[in-house]
Amino acid sequence: MAFEDDQGAVRPSIRPRAGIVAGAIGFLVVLAAAAGLLLWFVIRVEVNANEILVLVNKTGKKLPAELHDEFGDQVILYPALVERVAQITGESPEQVRDGYKGIRLDKLREGRYFPNPYRFKVVKFPATLIPQDQMGVLIRKYGKPLPYPKTVATEDDERGPVAEILRPGRHDVNLLAYHVQQFPAIQIPEGRVGVVTLLSGREPEKANTYTVMPGEKGVQHEVRPPGLYYYNPYLEQIEEVDVRSHKYDMLGLDAIHFPSGDSFTITIEGTIEWAIRPDKVAEVTVAYGDEEDILQKIILPNARSISRIQGSKLKAPEFISGRTRTAFQVKLLTELKRECWQQGIDIKAALVRDILPPSEIASLISKREQADQEMERSTNEMEEAKAQAMLVEQQELQEQNKAIGDARREVVTVTKEAEQRKVIAVTQANRQLEVAKLTLEAAEKQAAATRSRGQADANVVLYEYQAQAEPLARSVRAFGDGTTYAQHFFLARIAPSVKSILTNTEGPFAEVFKRLQTFDSSAEKGGGQ
């Protein structure tokens, strides 16, 4: 279609082109909408919570024929196979995973994905949830067969049970490549241990042994203590063994019968307490079996054998005596403990409850036993009386010791008080001694001063006497000697007195003369008559 412009020229119409463009745009919009609807409603894959997505390559090459003998008919594109194909074809591992048919090993977790429906097949699986008291074992569906004697897969390209276990919780497992088996965990209670048997491992270095070294296939020497264990039952087995003490009553038909030294049949009823040695649990379990086997193979044969050997050394009446029974019980325990210990069993007690003698001698022996018991009772009473007397003596001795102790304590107290008074007296005496010393020193000083003053006074008197004696000495020297001077001095002193006396008519001397005169007159008169 054409039209004329303002100048009259003829031009083509643009309306058809606009229609084509609009139609093309509309087609693209419809196509985009259809693609969006296809993408959203057909291609879109929603992986919800606790789900995983696995992609399967529907298109691509087939695995090389030369790998058939090495890998077989594999449909899982696992790493070892991808690497081998890449070595043969010269492609990269990514090209092999994208360009060959098979199941991809990797998983996609929760989310929204738009895989190419032409190239991929999508498979959704629920996530593997292992409960708290369970454990999971992966059974690998691809890889090489396990070589003998392995029972679990330890390499990434081995088929079969995987050595590592799945513990409680969530695990994203590709169920096209693996199968999950769940097993209960084992709870070993107190009083028990777990004997471990390794099903896969290296061959033992020492053959024909009950237990093997760690890592070797067989029963392990080390046991598992009480606790909760998650283990792979394809790799190891755990057997619970009771290591607590057990009691076995030998009563009735289980009693021990043996002949005595005098050919009488003796029956013994008793109780044996035993337990497996902690360091021999694995060996005993392998060699003998469970508790009943241990009783029938170790404990009872040894108990019967020891009882027969020791019982044949005694006569029937001796089994009634309490002392003999005690000695027999001690011997039985000692021998049984020694024999069973070597076989891994710890005999904790062997108690003889009753010894049954033959009926034909039971009454006689019973009477004798009663007499022995009466004698023993009397002896015990005597011993008790002695003990009571000793107790009284000890009490008296304690009282005496107490009195002695009190006296000693009093002596100690008095001694301490005397020592204290002595210390105080010595201290006071020392103080007085010091005072006396000071007083003496002061007295000595005062005496010295007194002596000095006395000496000075004496010197003064001496000098005065000397001054007085000097004239006397000169007078004595003038008379020639002291006697002559003394006579002269005496006469000079007494002469005036004599003169006075003689001339004085009064006084004592005058009286004497008067009496003399009177006496003379009387005498004269008397003579005249």
Side-chain angles (χ1 to χ4, degrees):
M1 180 180 295
F3 63 92
E4 293 181 357
D5 58 8
D6 295 339
Q7 290 78 20
V10 179
R11 297 182 181 275
S13 176
I14 62 173
R15 290 182 178 178
R17 290 185 178 180
I20 294 174
V21 172
I25 293 174
F27 176 75
L28 292 176
V29 170
V30 172
L31 184 60
L37 294 175
L38 178 64
L39 186 66
W40 186 259
F41 291 102
V42 178
I43 300 177
R44 177 176 63 91
V45 177
E46 295 285 350
V47 181
N48 301 319
N50 293 327
E51 288 184 343
I52 60 172
L53 179 66
V54 177
L55 299 179
V56 180
N57 295 342
K58 297 192 299 182
T59 61
K61 306 175 185 178
K62 293 184 178 181
L63 295 178
E66 54 267 31
L67 296 179
H68 181 76
D69 294 336
E70 183 178 357
F71 291 94
D73 295 330
Q74 297 290 342
V75 294
I76 308 296
L77 298 175
Y78 60 95
L81 177 60
V82 171
E83 290 291 338
R84 189 73 179 96
V85 173
Q87 291 177 0
I88 294 176
T89 61
E91 299 173 304
S92 66
E94 291 76 10
Q95 291 175 336
V96 174
R97 276 192 295 268
D98 295 337
Y100 283 81
K101 293 181 179 181
I103 300 172
R104 291 176 175 250
L105 190 60
D106 50 351
K107 296 91 55 182
L108 300 176
R109 292 173 63 91
E110 294 91 342
R112 181 176 298 154
Y113 302 95
F114 301 93
N116 187 343
Y118 174 74
R119 291 187 55 198
F120 301 109
K121 176 184 178 181
V122 295
V123 181
K124 289 197 298 183
F125 295 105
T128 301
L129 301 177
I130 306 297
Q132 184 63 34
D133 58 345
Q134 298 284 319
M135 56 191 173
V137 177
L138 293 175
I139 309 299
R140 186 177 291 148
K141 300 178 181 180
Y142 62 87
K144 302 175 183 178
L146 289 176
Y148 178 82
K150 293 180 68 174
T151 60
V152 293
T154 57
E155 303 295 335
D156 294 337
D157 60 343
E158 290 180 340
R159 183 188 306 171
V162 179
E164 295 181 0
I165 63 172
L166 303 179
R167 292 183 172 272
R170 170 180 169 167
H171 300 274
D172 296 331
V173 180
N174 185 345
L175 296 181
L176 294 178
Y178 293 93
H179 173 63
V180 178
Q181 287 185 340
Q182 293 190 20
F183 299 92
I186 183 172
Q187 175 70 52
I188 300 178
E190 291 293 334
R192 295 176 177 268
V193 296
V195 176
V196 180
T197 302
L198 199 61
L199 303 178
S200 179
R202 64 179 185 275
E203 292 297 324
E205 295 181 1
K206 296 182 180 180
N208 300 324
T209 57
Y210 292 123
T211 59
V212 296
M213 300 299 292
E216 294 180 347
K217 184 172 63 176
V219 179
Q220 305 295 300
H221 177 73
E222 295 294 332
V223 297
R224 301 283 176 85
L228 180 64
Y229 293 96
Y230 300 95
Y231 69 101
N232 191 335
Y234 291 98
L235 177 61
E236 59 185 12
Q237 291 181 353
I238 300 179
E239 180 181 357
E240 291 186 25
V241 178
D242 193 346
V243 294
R244 296 172 298 181
S245 295
H246 303 275
K247 287 185 178 181
Y248 178 74
D249 294 324
M250 299 180 295
L251 304 174
L253 297 178
D254 294 330
I256 298 177
H257 307 278
F258 59 88
S260 63
D262 48 4
S263 301
F264 286 99
T265 301
I266 304 298
T267 302
I268 291 181
E269 294 181 346
T271 299
I272 297 177
E273 183 179 357
W274 61 276
I276 302 176
R277 286 174 52 184
D279 59 331
K280 294 290 185 179
V281 175
E283 288 85 345
V284 171
T285 302
V286 175
Y288 301 105
D290 57 12
E291 299 173 12
E292 185 64 26
D293 294 327
I294 293 172
L295 277 172
Q296 299 300 329
K297 297 178 182 178
I298 300 178
I299 298 176
L300 293 182
N302 282 306
R304 295 189 180 102
S305 175
I306 295 170
S307 298
R308 291 189 181 99
I309 293 173
Q310 298 299 327
S312 62
K313 299 178 182 179
L314 302 173
K315 294 182 179 180
E318 294 177 317
F319 283 97
I320 307 302
S321 174
R323 290 185 295 271
T324 304
R325 177 184 301 181
T326 302
F328 177 81
Q329 177 175 306
V330 172
K331 194 69 174 178
L332 174 62
L333 174 61
T334 303
E335 294 294 328
L336 185 61
K337 190 176 185 66
R338 181 176 59 83
E339 292 294 331
C340 293
W341 181 267
Q342 298 176 357
Q343 296 175 280
I345 304 300
D346 182 14
I347 301 298
K348 299 182 178 297
L351 176 64
V352 176
R353 291 186 174 182
D354 196 9
I355 298 180
L356 305 177
S359 58
E360 54 266 31
I361 63 173
S363 60
L364 298 176
I365 295 176
S366 177
K367 292 180 181 179
R368 178 181 175 181
E369 181 67 17
Q370 290 177 359
D372 292 340
Q373 291 178 357
E374 184 66 25
M375 182 180 298
E376 185 175 359
R377 185 179 64 81
S378 300
T379 304
N380 292 335
E381 289 178 354
M382 294 175 61
E383 294 295 331
E384 184 178 356
K386 291 180 180 180
Q388 186 67 26
M390 292 181 62
L391 179 61
V392 172
E393 182 180 356
Q394 290 178 356
Q395 290 176 350
E396 292 295 332
L397 184 60
Q398 288 178 355
E399 292 294 334
Q400 182 179 358
N401 291 336
K402 181 180 179 182
I404 295 174
D406 294 340
R408 288 179 178 176
R409 284 194 294 272
E410 186 176 357
V411 170
V412 171
T413 302
V414 173
T415 303
K416 289 184 177 179
E417 291 178 353
E419 290 178 352
Q420 292 175 355
R421 288 196 297 270
K422 177 182 176 182
V423 171
I424 294 173
V426 170
T427 304
Q428 292 177 351
N430 290 332
R431 188 182 300 110
Q432 293 175 359
L433 177 61
E434 294 297 328
V435 173
K437 288 182 178 179
L438 296 175
T439 304
L440 177 61
E441 185 178 356
E444 289 177 351
K445 291 181 179 179
Q446 187 175 2
T450 303
R451 285 195 299 270
S452 298
R453 290 194 300 270
Q455 186 66 37
D457 294 340
N459 290 335
V460 172
V461 173
L462 178 62
Y463 292 151
E464 290 178 354
Y465 287 159
Q466 287 178 352
Q468 295 176 2
E470 184 61 29
L472 181 61
R474 286 195 297 267
S475 299
V476 170
R477 286 194 298 271
F479 281 95
D481 56 15
T483 304
T484 303
Y485 175 75
Q487 291 176 356
H488 170 76
F489 182 79
F490 177 75
L491 293 176
R493 291 287 183 181
I494 200 172
S497 298
V498 170
K499 181 179 180 181
S500 175
I501 294 171
L502 293 177
T503 59
N504 192 1
T505 59
E506 299 296 333
F509 286 100
E511 290 293 329
V512 171
F513 286 111
K514 287 178 177 182
R515 289 178 180 177
L516 287 176
Q517 291 177 357
T518 303
F519 179 75
D520 289 339
S521 298
S522 299
E524 291 179 355
K525 292 176 174 180
Q529 294 177 357

